[in-house]
Amino acid sequence: MSDHPVTLGRFDAEEARLAGLKPADLLSLGLAAALILLPLLVGGSWIFALGVCFANSIGVLAVSVLVRYGGEVSIGHSFFAAVGAYSVAVLDTRFGLSLLASLPLALALGVVSGVAFAWPSRKLSGIYLAVSTMALALAVPELINNADGLTGGYEGLYVSQPVIPGIAMSLQRYYAALIVLVAVVYGLARLRHSRQGLQLLLAKAHPAAADAFGTRRVWARVAVMGISGGIAALCGAMLGFAGSTVSPSGFTLWSSIFLLVGSVVSFYGLSLPRALVGGAFLTLVPQFLSASGAWIPVLYGLALLGMILLGHYLPRLRAMIADRKGGV
Amino acid sequence: MDVVTNALKGEGIALSFGGIEVLKGLDVEFRAGEITGLIGPNGAGKTSLFNCLTGAYAPQKGTITYAGQSLDGLPPAARASRGIVRSFQHVALSPDLTVLENVMIGVARNHHAGWQHVFLPTRRGREEMARMRADAEQALAELGLAGAADKLPAELPPGMLRLVEIARAIVGRPQVLLLDEPAAGLNNAETRDLMRSLKSLCSPDLVMVVVEHDMDLVMSICDRIYVLNFGAFVACGTPQQVRQDEDVVRIYLGSDDD
Ligand SMILES: Nc1ncnc2c1ncn2[C@@H]1O[C@H](COP(=O)(O)OP(=O)(O)OP(=O)(O)O)[C@@H](O)[C@H]1O
Ligand SMILES: [Mg+2]
């Protein structure tokens, strides 16, 4: 039993597993470390765009968690994002309160809105649920404009209260968004290994089996929408803080659709790298492409198509490569 | 006496779908401490009866009681929390979860840590998961599946998935265990092991009902057998009695009984 040269690689992986770290975790940690150091290297406009990218990544996670744990698709998540964004902006401009006070409020209101939407729609699924989420998205700009005494109407609100006075606001916008993104990823990693997470995943695949083991399917739907709505509200809150302005044009049906697109191109992943891919697709790709004028929508569409095809063929490519290796 | 009061009883259970009578006023008594067999040809209504007992279907007529208490109107989840548990004829595991995690769901109903324990690293959350994991590992080991714990369902052959389904049903120490074709897809050796496991599960306060097409299994582990045909019972008794019943032989056992 002394020489196992063949199993050596597997043994290393096993040791890493025992230490609680998988290769994917190491990638996420490395990425987080790089992002923490990045402001030392790159300049202002990049930092601003990355802050917004982190916020969008949170929104992508909100949609992905609904797909992964609920098996449902939403084209209305701009509603929950708007709830979060206006929590931050209104507390900031009307009451002079910083993110420390408004972020918990945004989260709570997002969860409550998610639950409040899930209850009446608990019997809907598939295309019917997606269309009813669309109604939410369509209502947002109207609601904001009607409540212009509070929301500032079309012109919007400017978010300026620092979290920690004395530190450059541009750095605060960047780091606050990064911290919230990492916290959401961490929370979702915990969900996957929790009792509730297991119950939700069974309820998605076999509602009748979940029922038979004490997990009501209505509970599952309400819980998933609550989580998803809460995360979307965090996205909105960070879009407001990192992007500094909150206005109705940021929360249209298109915003909801782009969140879904971001979720699709990240293959509904819930890890930090995947969320960043989705967030980058929402934030940075349009910036790259903005130089190309009228061709933007076409190039955006091509980039989207490329990502989806990659997602479609990547598993097969991997399988082919694995087969080759196995054959040697 | 105790044995009788802890029974799962149905009186006059009638179920129909769009005018088609699937169960025609069944009276049943599944006693604790016994293994009861439920046999009958395809489409006889065996799974439908299980669905009525677990609350998945609401029978149009009849009452169901467990240990003297009515279950009528209780949703499936409430019956599960009273320890009434089933396995599914068509394996119903989550493809996203490992075998171990799928089995852990079988004990979920006994645990109640709230959402704060999901998102924050609390001791209570950690201990709850550790206990669920230990219970699930033990159930898997009892069925000889310890080696498959970290596999995904897609990586296992159908016979093993069937056993995982059973492990999930037995792991939470149920009061009533309804097994729907537990030996379907198992080979002879696996079936023998399963029979041994089911017998060893038997305890004075466990009601166990087994729907099965494998007559050897039914005849050798069951204390009593109900025979269902077109939604009505045609016979009920010990394996010996059922084996000799002319109607049963004609309807179901056929040439099997030579
Ligand atoms: N949800 C349903 N809707 C309509 N008909 C149903 C439903 N569930 C069961 N049935 C019908 O009830 C009858 C009994 O079905 P059931 O599944 O209970 O039979 P079974 O005895 O379990 O058969 P098998 O041995 O094939 O599993 C069948 O004719 C079936 O078509
Ligand atoms: Mg059946």
Side-chain angles (χ1 to χ4, degrees), chain A residues 223-303:
Chain A
V224 169
M225 280 303 296
I227 293 170
S228 182
I231 296 174
L234 291 179
C235 156
M238 297 326 293
L239 276 176
F241 187 75
S244 74
T245 52
V246 171
S247 73
S249 63
F251 304 96
T252 62
L253 179 60
W254 280 110
S255 328
S256 288
I257 291 172
F258 279 130
L259 284 177
L260 179 60
V261 169
S263 173
V264 170
V265 300
S266 67
F267 312 134
Y268 315 114
L270 299 177
S271 65
L272 185 62
R274 294 283 194 93
L276 285 168
V277 167
F281 206 85
L282 261 73
T283 322
L284 303 179
V285 173
Q287 290 213 354
F288 280 128
L289 296 180
S290 62
S292 29
W295 287 94
I296 300 175
V298 178
L299 291 177
Y300 198 82
L302 285 177

Side-chain angles (χ1 to χ4, degrees), chain A residues 37-206:
Chain A
L37 298 176
L38 200 62
L40 299 175
L41 303 174
V42 299
S45 68
W46 271 102
I47 293 302
F48 179 82
L50 277 168
V52 174
C53 169
F54 299 154
N56 278 324
S57 302
I58 300 169
V60 167
L61 287 171
V63 177
S64 296
V65 80
L66 183 63
V67 175
R68 281 283 163 124
Y69 285 85
E72 297 295 348
V73 160
S74 163
I75 42 177
H77 264 48
S78 61
F79 177 90
F80 306 110
V83 166
Y86 279 92
S87 301
V88 169
V90 170
L91 285 199
D92 183 294
T93 50
R94 314 279 166 197
F95 302 97
L97 292 170
S98 81
L99 206 58
L100 292 177
S102 56
L103 196 64
L105 177 73
L107 176 61
L109 289 179
V111 172
V112 168
S113 331
V115 169
F117 173 77
W119 183 252
S121 65
R122 65 193 179 279
K123 296 266 163 68
L124 302 180
S125 61
I127 190 76
Y128 300 101
L129 185 74
V131 167
S132 63
T133 61
M134 188 178 85
L136 281 181
L138 289 173
V140 176
E142 298 302 320
L143 288 173
I144 297 171
N145 287 330
N146 276 326
D148 55 357
L150 198 63
T151 63
Y154 275 115
E155 296 186 357
L157 300 168
Y158 184 72
V159 179
S160 59
Q161 296 287 339
V163 178
I164 307 167
I167 295 179
M169 202 54 194
S170 64
L171 287 181
Q172 295 204 27
R173 297 192 198 279
Y174 176 92
Y175 282 113
L178 179 59
I179 289 168
V180 174
L181 171 61
V182 169
V184 169
V185 168
Y186 171 76
L188 290 176
R190 289 193 58 85
L191 176 66
R192 173 61 183 78
H193 296 289
S194 69
R195 171 172 54 80
Q196 285 88 334
L198 306 188
Q199 288 175 300
L200 290 176
L201 285 171
L202 179 63
K204 179 185 84 165
H206 294 284

